[in-house]
Amino acid sequence: MPGTLRLKPPERGTAGLYLAVARGAFRRYSTYRAATLAGTVTNTVFGFILASTFLALWRARPGLGGYDADQAVTYIWVSQALLVTVAVWGGGFQDDVQDRFRSGDIAVDLYRPVDFQGWWLASDLGRAGFHLVSRGALPMLVGALVFDIRLPADPLVWAVFLVSVLLAVVVSFGLRFLVSLTGFWLHDSEGVRSVMLVVSMFFSGMLLPITLFPGLLGASAAVMPFSAMVQIPADLFLQHRTGAAAAGALAFQLGWGVALLAAGRAVQLFATRKVVVQGG
Amino acid sequence: MADTLVARTGWALRSWWLVAGMWSRSLMSYRTSFYLMLLANAVVTFLDFGVLLLMFRHTDDLGGWTLPELGFLYGTSAFALAVANLLVGSIDGLGVRIRAGTLDTVLIRPAPALAQLCAERFSLRRLGRLVQAAAVLGWSLHALPVHWSAGRALMVAGLLVCGSVIFGSIYIGGATLQFWWGEAKELQNSVTYGGATLLQYPPTVFAKELVAATVFGIPLAFVNWLPALAILDKPDPLGLPEAFRYASPLAAALTVTAAGLAWRAGLRAYRGAGN
């Protein structure tokens, strides 16, 4: 019965529902306190290691990529703060969806009177909110105590950064949603997921700012959606892009976010038809 | 059953082999996914090295070490971690089994629990990391301007064995924490993966306190930093006695003993799920 599937955008008046879903996800993640603490320690340890290697590189080549040494160290701590928040190496709602593929509950989800994509987006935004505080702000605080970090003084920069992080999560969600949907055809999306992990770690600027990539590699990294996940929020934080360039960066993130959500919706349409065929 | 140490070790190894074989067969039923993951595993680990290559486009040395020297650190660190991860890496799932109450089923089977848990979810895709590490190591050994004597070659072989033992002990010792704190898995990751990343860079890059912690705290420096000083003839940033550079076998013996004792203590402290 394809006609009963909810494939339209959510109707008005459902905002409260999505808010409740997001709040629920935030609370759900906040219950795993011990695991979160252990994860926060991991982000801090990696922050220390990578900040030291960056300092060594910038000592050898001051001003590399247009950043000074303090900015380079700040870049590391911002990227560590974003790693889990933006789910650069996957996870979040993806793990839940994967479990539901395994158990077959995915079919039930599609018949719920709630939009499938909207539900998971709301839940992922709630999760990201919690991770921004626990695995983002906490390691950053430790980093700021030990290293010379460049924190923005202007509250407007902070506001722009937070909007950019929100858009980064939406772009990341759009990509992970598409990866999860391959489960409808491949039954096991683990393989695609691990390929995606490789690509997004490298091209998001998580391992190295993409301004340091040479020639064509750098040029293509700058236009791919992955740069919206780490490179752009970090640059806005460092005030590496200001004024019109900052507005352009946000527009770039928004553009990719909308495009990926639309693509996800189109693929979902095909996928749900496929489930009806299999389930019939 | 003969209860000699040799017989018991043999039985443990055979149990590991049987469980690992079982998981390999089951994973091979999703062949496409398997090959994709094997490939991704090799590529994802290569990207770490790709970052080093990109860094060296902008500089000739990092902390006084050249690219082939870093390649040696990278190759040995990644190789030791890959071997440990392949052989005992699955042990980090212990916390999940304790929470789900399924550790008891492992304990009542007539095979050593440690061997079974180490082989659980064994996957050959982890070979991807090992292959990539061996390739980088091979390249660096070729590119290093080192005069290769029998002694130096023996040291490289010894380093790989001792390094793998040290990382393996850290896996098991770290997992033991989960008997008391079920969600300590991530903490272990910061020592294993974080440690391996640390060892891919020269010790001169890091604060002296951090390097000292890897010598006298968690003995990561014995995996490759200290023996590398002898093999590559580099100065020691801490100014430790020469003997430390050759002490990796002793460090490996100590860590494996400590991990074994911790494991037995953990198992004894475990009270069962009541089912």
Side-chain angles (χ1 to χ4, degrees):
Chain A
M1 305 181 289
T4 61
L5 291 171
R6 308 291 295 218
L7 301 169
K8 298 185 299 282
E11 289 117 41
R12 290 203 307 162
T14 51
L17 171 75
Y18 290 110
L19 209 60
V21 171
R23 208 180 304 132
F26 185 99
R27 290 187 50 170
R28 181 186 146 206
Y29 277 90
S30 66
T31 48
Y32 301 111
R33 290 213 186 102
T36 305
L37 183 67
T40 305
V41 171
T42 308
N43 284 121
T44 312
V45 168
F46 270 93
F48 267 91
I49 296 171
L50 298 176
S52 304
T53 64
F54 268 42
L55 270 178
L57 180 61
W58 261 265
R59 214 172 285 138
R61 276 290 307 275
L64 185 59
Y67 305 102
D68 62 27
D70 288 353
Q71 285 179 317
V73 168
T74 310
Y75 185 96
I76 283 296
W77 288 102
V78 173
S79 63
Q80 278 300 314
L82 293 178
L83 176 64
V84 180
T85 308
V86 178
V88 181
W89 65 29
F93 85 97
Q94 249 183 320
D95 297 329
D96 299 327
V97 170
Q98 202 158 300
D99 283 345
R100 300 188 75 80
F101 266 115
R102 290 220 175 95
S103 61
D105 290 343
I106 200 84
V108 182
D109 291 349
L110 293 172
Y111 281 92
R112 288 220 171 102
V114 190
D115 181 71
F116 183 70
Q117 191 186 34
W119 170 280
W120 290 116
L121 176 59
S123 121
D124 205 52
L125 285 173
R127 173 206 61 82
F130 175 70
H131 279 154
L132 182 65
V133 177
S134 62
R135 297 188 66 168
L138 281 180
M140 184 78 131
L141 204 64
V142 178
L145 290 175
V146 181
F147 290 88
D148 288 323
I149 279 189
R150 193 77 58 80
L151 296 178
D154 188 352
L156 183 68
V157 176
W158 283 96
V160 169
F161 171 68
L162 288 178
V163 171
S164 176
V165 172
L166 175 74
L167 291 172
V169 177
V170 173
V171 169
S172 161
F173 171 83
L175 289 166
R176 283 175 292 143
F177 189 69
L178 285 170
V179 170
S180 291
L181 289 182
T182 62
F184 278 110
W185 288 273
L186 297 174
H187 304 291
D188 177 36
S189 57
E190 279 280 342
V192 183
R193 203 175 146 169
S194 44
V195 172
M196 185 59 120
L197 186 156
V198 178
V199 176
S200 34
M201 282 296 276
F202 192 70
F203 286 106
S204 62
M206 186 70 216
L207 301 172
L208 201 68
I210 55 181
T211 43
L212 266 60
F213 289 7
L216 189 63
L217 188 66
S220 33
V223 294
M224 284 197 273
F226 306 102
S227 67
M229 290 157 71
V230 176
Q231 182 75 48
I232 287 179
D235 274 351
L236 292 173
F237 190 87
L238 292 169
Q239 290 166 272
H240 205 60
R241 299 178 202 219
T242 47
L250 291 179
F252 174 83
Q253 287 183 301
L254 186 65
W256 267 119
V258 170
L260 287 166
L261 288 183
R265 190 151 285 276
V267 177
Q268 179 185 328
L269 187 84
F270 285 116
T272 43
R273 284 202 182 133
K274 163 124 177 136
V275 171
V276 174
V277 172
Q278 272 197 340
Chain B
M1 207 188 308
D3 220 20
T4 62
L5 187 64
V6 177
R8 269 167 49 199
T9 311
W11 175 230
L13 291 178
R14 193 172 147 66
S15 311
W16 183 92
W17 181 253
L18 289 172
V19 177
M22 182 188 80
W23 280 103
S24 298
R25 277 195 301 282
S26 88
L27 271 177
M28 283 313 273
S29 47
Y30 293 100
R31 234 163 247 262
T32 318
S33 207
F34 171 80
Y35 287 118
L36 265 180
M37 283 200 275
L38 185 67
L39 186 72
N41 224 277
V43 175
V44 74
T45 44
F46 183 75
L47 283 188
D48 291 345
F49 191 65
V51 168
L52 279 180
L53 291 177
L54 285 176
M55 281 183 163
F56 271 82
R57 279 179 56 88
H58 302 285
T59 178
D60 291 328
D61 75 296
L62 202 63
W65 292 53
T66 63
L67 182 59
E69 287 171 337
L70 251 81
F72 181 77
L73 289 181
Y74 178 93
T76 48
S77 159
F79 187 96
L81 183 77
V83 171
N85 187 37
L86 187 69
L87 298 181
V88 304
S90 303
I91 190 78
D92 65 5
L94 178 68
V96 176
R97 274 202 172 269
I98 292 176
R99 266 200 302 284
T102 54
L103 182 63
D104 299 10
T105 31
V106 174
L107 294 178
I108 56 165
R109 282 185 209 141
L114 185 58
Q116 290 181 62
L117 291 169
C118 285
E120 188 164 73
R121 301 208 156 271
F122 173 85
S123 171
L124 275 175
R125 82 182 138 93
R126 295 178 191 164
L127 277 178
R129 184 198 297 270
L130 189 63
V131 169
Q132 184 267 340
V136 173
L137 181 61
W139 168 79
S140 82
L141 291 179
H142 176 74
L144 282 168
V146 169
H147 172 68
W148 289 107
S149 61
R152 278 212 164 98
L154 195 67
M155 267 202 88
V156 174
L159 177 162
L160 294 177
V161 174
C162 295
S164 307
V165 171
I166 293 173
F167 266 129
S169 309
I170 292 173
Y171 265 111
I172 292 173
T176 306
L177 278 180
Q178 298 182 14
F179 277 115
W180 293 280
W181 182 13
E183 291 171 306
K185 184 178 162 186
E186 276 262 23
L187 218 53
Q188 180 188 336
N189 285 349
S190 67
V191 187
T192 49
Y193 294 102
T197 308
L198 185 76
L199 297 178
Q200 286 166 6
Y201 293 91
T204 44
V205 163
F206 301 102
K208 284 209 167 69
E209 296 81 9
L210 185 63
V211 180
T214 64
V215 178
F216 302 105
I218 299 166
L220 287 166
F222 293 93
V223 170
N224 70 353
W225 273 352
L226 287 166
L229 297 178
I231 296 167
L232 304 177
D233 209 11
K234 305 283 287 184
D236 180 349
L238 289 185
L240 295 168
E242 283 263 325
F244 275 83
R245 303 179 179 193
Y246 304 96
S248 292
L250 183 65
L254 284 175
T255 46
V256 82
T257 310
L261 291 174
W263 175 256
R264 294 181 73 154
L267 210 51
R268 220 165 280 147
Y270 178 68
R271 287 278 166 258
N275 52 2

